[in-house]
Amino acid sequence: MNFLSGEFECKIDPKGRLVLPAKIKANLPEASGNHVVLMRGFEPCLVLYPKAEWKVIYDKVAGLNEFNEEYRHFQRNFFRGNTEIELDGTGRFVLPKTMARFAELDKEVIIVGLGNRVEIWNPDKYEEFLIKDQQNFSQLAQKFLGDKEEKEPLL
């Protein structure tokens, strides 16, 4: 599995195109080729998945029972506006205007690699969604990653 990582400041050109950072482009899985899927995030950002990673998520959501109203409602909103994109040789692609409006993207963006996906943020919005309190961050790390049972300290 290729690992998408890093945080990059990038610009959208006057034609609405964005170039993925070379480090991100180089780590896209070969199986996906230059094909990625762009979707609206749960927060006000865009999420870009390599095609192979997207297929795993697509299968889960598409596999929900379409005769269940709650599932249909989720599917409709989840798949809304998702766009398959082919990157050019430099890793450049045109941001669909409706997607850019959703994430309030203008000229500058922050691109963040998150393992199997990339988020594209308005820099101001990105700052709003980061944990500012290091103690809170440490507590979350303990909660999610501290899988060893805590032992009482020896006196």
Side-chain angles (χ1 to χ4, degrees):
M1 177 184 139
N2 295 33
F3 187 72
L4 304 170
S5 66
E7 184 177 273
F8 307 89
E9 295 178 357
C10 300
K11 295 190 183 306
I12 299 172
D13 74 15
K15 293 182 181 181
R17 297 176 299 195
L18 180 61
V19 178
L20 283 181
K23 184 177 177 191
I24 296 285
K25 185 177 181 306
N27 281 309
L28 290 174
E30 281 186 36
S32 294
N34 280 339
H35 293 270
V36 294
V37 175
L38 187 67
M39 67 175 283
R40 289 173 174 87
F42 295 110
E43 291 82 17
C45 67
L46 301 180
V47 182
L48 188 137
Y49 284 95
K51 184 86 184 267
E53 289 289 335
W54 172 250
K55 176 82 171 93
V56 173
I57 294 164
Y58 173 86
D59 288 345
K60 285 181 183 178
V61 177
L64 296 172
N65 182 350
E66 68 187 80
F67 300 106
N68 176 305
E69 182 179 0
E70 188 175 32
Y71 289 166
R72 279 194 317 273
H73 185 69
F74 175 71
Q75 287 171 324
R76 185 175 305 118
N77 285 276
F78 187 83
F79 289 131
R80 177 179 163 240
N82 294 346
T83 306
E84 184 175 335
I85 293 172
E86 185 172 3
L87 305 172
D88 71 9
T90 63
R92 183 176 58 184
F93 66 97
V94 175
L95 273 173
K97 288 183 175 152
T98 56
M99 301 284 249
R101 271 194 304 273
F102 168 80
E104 299 179 34
L105 303 178
D106 189 24
K107 293 178 180 149
E108 298 191 11
V109 300
I110 300 287
I111 294 179
V112 185
L114 295 170
N116 69 333
R117 68 192 184 281
V118 172
E119 290 183 342
I120 304 170
W121 286 87
N122 168 309
D124 295 330
K125 291 287 181 191
Y126 181 59
E127 286 299 318
E128 288 177 27
F129 282 83
L130 293 177
I131 299 170
K132 312 263 183 313
D133 179 351
Q134 288 306 108
Q135 185 176 4
N136 183 350
F137 183 54
S138 176
Q139 289 169 347
L140 288 173
Q142 173 62 35
K143 178 180 178 180
F144 299 126
L145 302 173
D147 56 356
K148 294 182 181 179
E149 278 190 47
E150 289 191 32
K151 296 181 181 176
E152 292 292 321
L154 299 174
L155 297 176

